[in-house]
């Protein structure tokens, strides 16, 4: 007789019910013969040794306590995605790794707190024209991200203040040109389960010049986008790079239970990668009718291995 596998969906104290469109996930897992539960990652009353297969979901508060989160992840016996991936993916310096392996990422100027930049040195690294984005290397969703217009004096001052504040907090800062194609074509997210493309969505930007996002702000307006031949081609290229990197990092093949890749068309028939999310990814399970079932099937496959 097959034992019923326990599956724990891991969340945070500020999102105890998971993402808003994942309410049906526990029932979907139960229908597939699993024993689902929800637990907060830093709840001291949880015995993670008895939690079964643990699936990271709405853990967006990791950004304010990353080291504690990584240490916790390393202590969980059966965690997906695993702790090595969590440590790598919760600091956006991973984009450097992706670029070195050939993925076209958004050009970024990195400012490290250890360099002791003066205000003048920071200001001189801002672009002279167009809009640009300031974001910390450790962040979740669109928190603490600001978009500014380079030729506006007040906005440059606001960008400088935000950057200096982040550096003074000991946080690495990313400076990126704002890609106008996002306003024209939208941002595309490809969602993968067990290495296979499940669905795609198009997101309309919510960042406006001289705005710094509030933690409660939703990331974008989301609509389903057909996973057309172009998406499949991009997805396969990205999948190959990700698995090549994980094989080199871990010394073994590692199949991600889920990951979401955010990208924007470059206007020349290709794309630029904005983010690879394998930790706290909103998987947009309500975007298409089959998405939630695809995720439940993916979890079931791993739970019964």
């Amino acid at each position: 007789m097959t034992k019923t596998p326990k599956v724990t969906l891991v969340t945070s104290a500020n999102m105890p019910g998971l993402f808003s469109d994942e309410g049906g996930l526990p029932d979907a897992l139960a229908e597939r013969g699993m024993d689902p539960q929800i637990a907060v990652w830093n709840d001291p009353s949880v015995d993670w040794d008895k939690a079964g297969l643990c699936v990271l979901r709405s853990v967006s508060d990791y950004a304010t306590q990353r080291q504690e989160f990584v240490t916790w992840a390393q202590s969980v016996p059966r965690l997906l995605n695993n702790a090595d991936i969590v440590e790598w993916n919760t600091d956006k310096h991973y984009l450097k790794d992706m670029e070195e392996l050939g993925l076209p990422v958004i050009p970024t100027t990195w400012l490290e707190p250890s360099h002791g930049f003066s205000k003048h040195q920071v200001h001189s690294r801002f672009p002279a024209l167009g809009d640009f984005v300031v974001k910390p290397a450790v962040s979740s969703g669109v928190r603490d991200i600001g978009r500014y217009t380079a030729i506006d004096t007040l906005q440059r001052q606001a960008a400088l203040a935000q950057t200096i504040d982040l550096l003074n907090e000991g946080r690495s800062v990313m400076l990126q040109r704002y890609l106008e194609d996002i306003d024209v074509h939208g941002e595309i997210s490809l969602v993968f389960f067990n290495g296979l493309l499940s669905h795609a969505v198009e997101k309309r930007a919510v960042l406006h010049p001289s705005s710094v996002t509030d933690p409660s702000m939703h990331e974008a307006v989301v609509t389903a986008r057909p996973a057309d031949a172009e998406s499949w081609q991009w997805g396969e290229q990205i999948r190959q790079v990700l698995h090549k990197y994980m094989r080199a990092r871990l010394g073994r093949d590692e199949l991600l239970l889920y990951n979401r890749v955010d990208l924007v068309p470059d206007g020349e028939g290709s794309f630029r990668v904005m983010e690879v999310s394998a930790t706290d990814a909103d998987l947009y399970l309500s975007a298409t009718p089959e998405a939630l079932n695809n995720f439940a099937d993916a979890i079931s496959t791993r739970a019964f291995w």
Side-chain angles (χ1 to χ4, degrees):
M1 186 173 181
T2 303
K3 184 179 179 180
T4 300
K6 179 181 287 187
V7 175
T8 298
L9 303 172
V10 184
T11 186
S12 55
N14 61 339
M15 296 187 72
L18 307 174
F19 289 111
S20 60
D21 60 356
E22 294 187 359
L25 185 57
D27 287 343
L29 296 179
E31 290 169 1
R32 287 160 174 79
M34 288 165 277
D35 177 18
Q37 64 181 13
I38 300 173
V40 174
W41 71 269
N42 53 359
D43 181 348
S45 69
V46 178
D47 185 347
W48 296 103
D49 289 331
K50 298 179 180 179
L53 180 67
C54 298
V55 178
L56 290 172
R57 295 311 310 123
S58 44
V59 290
S60 57
D61 62 348
Y62 81 79
T64 61
Q65 43 195 325
R66 177 175 176 265
Q67 189 52 58
E68 292 88 341
F69 180 70
V70 170
T71 299
W72 166 82
Q74 292 168 340
S75 74
V76 179
R78 296 182 64 201
L79 183 69
L80 294 177
N81 291 310
N82 74 47
D84 290 319
I85 298 303
V86 167
E87 183 174 17
W88 170 75
N89 189 239
T90 51
D91 185 328
K92 290 183 177 60
H93 283 89
Y94 69 75
L95 289 170
K96 290 185 175 183
D97 300 326
M98 296 292 94
E99 185 174 28
E100 289 174 1
L101 288 172
L103 278 187
V105 304
I106 295 183
T108 302
T109 297
W110 299 87
L111 303 181
E112 306 297 345
S114 59
H115 292 170
F117 290 110
S118 67
K119 288 185 177 181
H120 174 73
Q121 289 172 322
V122 170
H123 191 268
S124 67
R125 284 162 172 78
F126 291 164
L129 297 171
D131 287 1
F132 64 99
V133 174
V134 175
K135 65 173 73 171
V138 177
S139 64
S140 176
V142 293
R143 292 161 180 80
D144 300 325
I145 299 177
R147 174 184 170 187
Y148 304 95
T149 299
I151 61 173
D152 186 295
T153 300
L154 292 178
Q155 290 195 27
R156 290 184 74 91
Q157 291 175 348
L160 179 61
Q162 183 195 0
T163 304
I164 293 296
D165 284 347
L166 291 171
L167 291 172
N168 286 342
E169 293 171 3
R171 303 171 73 180
S172 299
V173 176
M174 306 164 65
L175 303 179
Q176 298 177 326
R177 287 188 178 277
Y178 183 80
L179 301 183
E180 301 299 331
D181 279 341
I182 296 175
D183 294 331
V184 177
H185 303 290
E187 177 185 332
I188 299 167
S189 288
L190 306 178
V191 179
F192 299 80
F193 298 141
N194 287 334
L196 300 176
L197 181 60
S198 167
H199 56 284
V201 300
E202 183 175 300
K203 300 186 290 188
R204 290 297 172 180
V206 297
L207 278 181
H208 304 287
S210 192
S211 69
V212 178
T213 57
D214 181 88
S216 64
M217 176 178 278
H218 194 276
E219 185 175 0
V221 177
V222 178
T223 56
R225 182 184 192 274
D228 53 20
E230 185 179 51
S231 297
W232 282 98
Q233 181 180 1
W234 291 349
E236 180 60 19
Q237 181 180 343
I238 294 164
R239 187 196 65 80
Q240 290 181 7
V241 169
L242 278 173
H243 285 276
K244 179 180 179 181
Y245 176 80
M246 287 188 293
R247 191 179 305 116
R249 179 183 175 90
L250 303 177
R252 65 179 188 275
D253 287 324
E254 178 69 28
L255 186 64
L256 295 175
L257 170 63
Y258 64 87
N259 68 285
R260 191 192 78 217
V261 179
D262 299 333
L263 47 86
V264 60
D266 66 0
E268 299 177 358
S270 188
F271 64 93
R272 288 194 179 273
V273 174
M274 302 184 68
E275 184 172 348
V276 176
S277 186
T279 304
D280 64 325
D282 187 339
L283 301 174
Y284 305 119
L285 297 185
S286 62
T288 62
E290 68 276 8
L292 188 142
N293 285 325
N294 287 350
F295 191 36
D297 288 342
I299 295 172
S300 177
T301 298
R302 304 297 284 271
F304 284 99
W305 271 6

